[in-house]
Structure formats: C-alpha cells, structure tokens
Amino acid sequence: SQKIEQNSEALNIQEGKTATLTCNYTNYSPAYLQWYRQDPGRGPVFLLLIRENEKEKRKERLKVTFDTTLKQSLFHITASQPADSATYLCALEAGGYQKVTFGTGTKLQVIP
Amino acid sequence: SQTIHQWPATLVQPVGSPLSLECTVEGTSNPNLYWYRQAAGRGLQLLFYSVGIGQISSEVPQNLSASRPQDRQFILSSKKLLLSDSGFYLCAWSAQGVGPQHFGDGTRLSIL
C-alpha cells in the first residue's frame, strides 16, 4: 500500500543549528513533492516544491532534496530560529488536478 | 492578490444535526478547490476536490457532501453529523498546473 512516513516524534534543535526533516515514501512515483509549514490551529502554508527531475531546491534558509531512487526527501532549515518552530508536512503528487497526499508531519522545536 | 476565506472558525454541533461550511476564494478564476479534514495528531485527509463548477470528486465515502455552486465557492455539507465527523476542516485552492495549494484558516468542528 502507499505510505508516506515522516518522523512522528518531535525534533528538538538548538537555535542556530541546521534542522533536517525526513520524508520517506513507498509505492508512489510522484512527479513532484511539496513541503508545508503548519502552526497550531492554522492551515498549512506552502514552502517549497521540487520536481522529480530536480535534485535540490533552495529558498533563503530552506533547502529541499528529492531522491527518487531512495524515495526520500530531506528538508533543511539552516541557522534555525525559535520562530521556525512548527509542524512541517511533506506532500506528494498523487495524480491529476494537483492532488497531493500529505504526510502526518514532524513537529520542530527550536530551543533558544 | 488571492485570498481564501473559510467560516466559521469554530463550530459545536449536536450529533444528528446538519452541517454547512463555506469557503470562498478571491483574486483568481477557475481554481481547483479542495476540502480536507485533519484529525488530532493526524495528517490531512482529502475529502473532496473540484476542478470546475458543479464538478465534484469524492475521495472518501462518508456522510459528507460537497458542492461548488459558483466558480470560487466551495461548500461542505452533511445532513446528519456523526461523532466521527469531529475534526479540523480545511479548504484549499490551487491554480491550474503544477503548483502549491493555498489553505484557509480552517474550521474546528466539535460534535457533542
């Protein structure tokens, strides 16, 4: 069956360090993958999109990698700040009309 | 710029009562529209999506229904709510083609 796995345990990291979040998937062949940020009680906010033929994408302090052989995406936040504390969701293209399937997310806590 | 409005923010309903949640998008035309539900500690579950007026695709069989009476209006309904319908309901839109989904702030629905 299709599965998207994100570390369900919270990730605690010291301010200034690089946070790395993992998204693994099975039985998908996504044309693209997205990362979103979700704050408590709010809707997710889009961060980055990476296509299957792209290895890496950057936006300011954010970097996403996409390895279709390993079926894995890594999401990095460099020089992390307490304001980066949130839940981060990966989402895989799931066929037509921009349908995506979301992982359950990883909660990141940046400690001052 | 594009905006998405979703209301109400919170709703408490008795079991067996009807439901109507509304979502409207401004600043864009012919968007794809989506309804998701997020249970506590769970990922986003796609309930319905729509690629045009009157066109609704259901992803999960349940006692919910969706309608799109206008290009930028998406309504989630139920004739009789169940306890299991409790959750955080999110509306989202995306433009045609590969790209992000943009979410509203959600409705927290509690069934008593």
Side-chain angles (χ1 to χ4, degrees), chain A residues 32 34 36 38 41-44 46 49 51 89 97-100 102-104, chain B residues 32 34 36 38 43 49 51 59 88 90 95 97-101 103-105:
Chain A
Y32 58 87
Q34 303 174 353
Y36 291 78
Q38 187 175 23
R42 305 296 299 273
F46 170 77
L49 180 151
R51 297 173 189 258
L89 307 169
Y97 305 114
Q98 294 82 54
K99 281 172 52 181
V100 296
F102 283 84
T104 53
Chain B
N32 294 322
Y34 310 85
Y36 290 89
Q38 187 174 34
Y49 70 94
V51 300
E59 290 293 297
F88 189 44
L90 289 155
V98 174
Q101 294 189 9
F103 287 82
D105 280 336

Side-chain angles (χ1 to χ4, degrees), chain B:
Chain B
S1 64
Q2 302 92 0
T3 55
I4 180 168
H5 303 280
Q6 196 181 337
W7 67 93
T10 58
L11 190 60
V12 180
Q13 293 284 97
V15 170
S17 63
L19 173 75
S20 180
L21 301 181
E22 190 163 341
C23 171
T24 59
V25 180
E26 296 177 357
T28 188
S29 58
N30 195 30
N32 294 322
L33 296 172
Y34 310 85
W35 278 111
Y36 290 89
R37 177 169 59 203
Q38 187 174 34
R42 305 282 299 276
L44 275 72
Q45 179 187 33
L46 179 63
L47 302 175
F48 301 94
Y49 70 94
S50 172
V51 300
I53 296 174
Q55 301 179 61
I56 308 293
S57 295
S58 174
E59 290 293 297
V60 182
Q62 61 224 322
N63 69 322
L64 300 171
S65 62
S67 62
R68 184 171 178 173
Q70 300 180 50
D71 182 45
R72 290 169 289 177
Q73 184 185 27
F74 206 22
I75 298 171
L76 183 69
S77 303
S78 174
K79 292 182 180 177
K80 275 188 171 183
L81 286 167
L82 307 172
L83 282 174
S84 57
D85 291 324
S86 293
F88 189 44
Y89 287 82
L90 289 155
C91 179
W93 73 272
S94 70
Q96 300 296 326
V98 174
Q101 294 189 9
H102 307 278
F103 287 82
D105 280 336
T107 295
R108 178 77 57 191
L109 176 63
S110 299
I111 310 299
L112 303 179

Side-chain angles (χ1 to χ4, degrees), chain A residues 11 13-14 16 18-19 26 30 32-33 39-40 43 50 55 57 60 62 64 66 69 74-75 78 102 105-106 109:
Chain A
L11 177 64
I13 193 163
Q14 208 70 34
T18 295
T26 54
Y32 58 87
L33 184 149
D39 291 289
I50 186 166
K55 295 296 184 186
K57 205 78 168 283
E60 298 172 353
L62 308 180
V64 172
F66 191 11
T69 301
L74 299 179
F75 177 78
T78 58
F102 283 84
T106 297
Q109 187 78 32

